[in-house]
Amino acid sequence: MDASSTTTAHETSGLAAAVKETARELLADLGAGGLSLEAVAAAGGLAVAEVETVFPHRDDLLTALLIDAYNESGAAMEEADRAAADSNASAGTRLLAATRALRQWSVANPAVFALVYGSPVPGYHAPEDTVPPASRTPAVLAGILRSALESGELTPPRRAVPGPPLIRPEATALFGGLPPEPFTDVIERGIVLWSNLVGLLVFEVFSRTHDSVRDQSSFFDFAIAVSAENVGIEISLDQERGSTR
């Protein structure tokens, strides 16, 4: 690769980063549905043709923003879980650390959170490129559950899912295979945990609990502990009270 091509690639990368940063700032005012290349160009002091060199269509830009959001939030969870695991923490402590990390990212980036977990953008359909980044969040939860199962920390469920498994093969593959008795429904329970986690964050970020919950941080920890019980993981909030939130 010659020097001119290296310079061009560097300039293109820098332009793409600048466009995405401007787009993220506009999300708060315009929402994902109102985002356009023209609006991004005007806000960034660029010509529309310049923006189109890195993102030919609005959907290309939305996809890039989604991928970044999934990767950022997933990396935050992975880092928090890794730190807890490295200190030989229990499955409950790891779960609380990872979910707190996602909460911290969500509260700090409400507009991008809304892009990921808010209403679908009219006319936009996320491509397959977004699937691996989007899988990072449930993969962290699955990893904690699998570790708890292997270490004997899981409590057997009091009520089994009736009938055959309710999950797709992709979910089983993400978990690493179908768990043995009496934990064969732990993947279904893990999906419930995942949906509860996202629901909690949606309620907080979109201000659905601000008029009913006095302490958002403590309520989040309590709700995660309640959800964790459903998958057989115990979180001792008395022990975790002094942890960073």
Side-chain angles (χ1 to χ4, degrees):
M1 182 180 293
D2 59 30
S4 61
S5 62
T6 301
T7 301
T8 301
H10 178 74
E11 291 174 348
T12 299
S13 175
L15 177 59
V19 169
K20 287 191 293 183
E21 183 60 31
T22 300
R24 287 177 67 133
E25 294 172 357
L26 286 178
L27 282 175
D29 295 326
L30 303 178
L35 197 66
S36 67
L37 299 186
E38 290 77 12
V40 173
L46 301 167
V48 175
E50 290 181 275
V51 176
E52 290 176 337
T53 61
V54 286
F55 300 109
H57 304 285
R58 180 210 63 166
D59 287 4
D60 299 317
L61 177 56
L62 286 177
T63 296
L65 294 175
L66 276 173
I67 289 174
D68 283 355
Y70 282 129
N71 281 328
E72 288 174 11
S73 57
M77 293 184 71
E78 291 163 358
E79 182 178 350
D81 178 43
R82 189 179 306 114
D86 288 346
S87 64
N88 296 317
S90 67
T93 297
R94 288 177 59 185
L95 180 60
L96 191 58
T99 55
R100 280 176 173 175
L102 183 59
R103 175 179 179 265
Q104 184 176 18
W105 179 88
S106 302
V107 172
N109 299 277
V112 184
F113 174 88
L115 171 65
V116 176
Y117 295 111
S119 300
V121 180
Y124 174 75
H125 302 283
E128 288 295 314
D129 292 354
T130 61
V131 174
S135 298
R136 293 176 72 169
T137 291
V140 172
L141 301 179
I144 295 171
L145 280 174
R146 186 171 56 249
S147 177
L149 177 62
E150 293 170 352
S151 65
E153 293 183 75
L154 277 189
T155 301
R158 289 179 295 176
R159 177 189 301 183
V161 172
L166 303 175
I167 52 175
R168 296 171 61 91
E170 294 87 345
T172 304
L174 181 67
F175 188 80
L178 192 65
E181 292 282 359
F183 302 102
T184 52
D185 61 359
V186 73
I187 301 177
E188 286 93 337
R189 293 173 182 275
I191 295 174
V192 173
L193 172 64
W194 177 25
S195 61
N196 285 347
L197 168 60
V198 173
L200 280 169
L201 296 174
V202 166
F203 264 53
E204 180 172 0
V205 174
F206 296 162
S207 299
R208 295 292 186 265
T209 53
H210 284 66
D211 58 352
S212 55
V213 173
R214 178 175 54 82
D215 185 334
Q216 295 289 338
S217 294
S218 294
F219 180 78
F220 178 85
D221 288 356
F222 166 76
I224 292 298
V226 171
S227 298
E229 290 177 357
N230 188 53
V231 295
I233 290 179
E234 180 181 355
I235 296 178
S236 175
L237 294 182
D238 289 338
Q239 180 178 349
E240 299 293 341
R241 187 165 293 153
S243 302
T244 302
R245 290 179 182 170

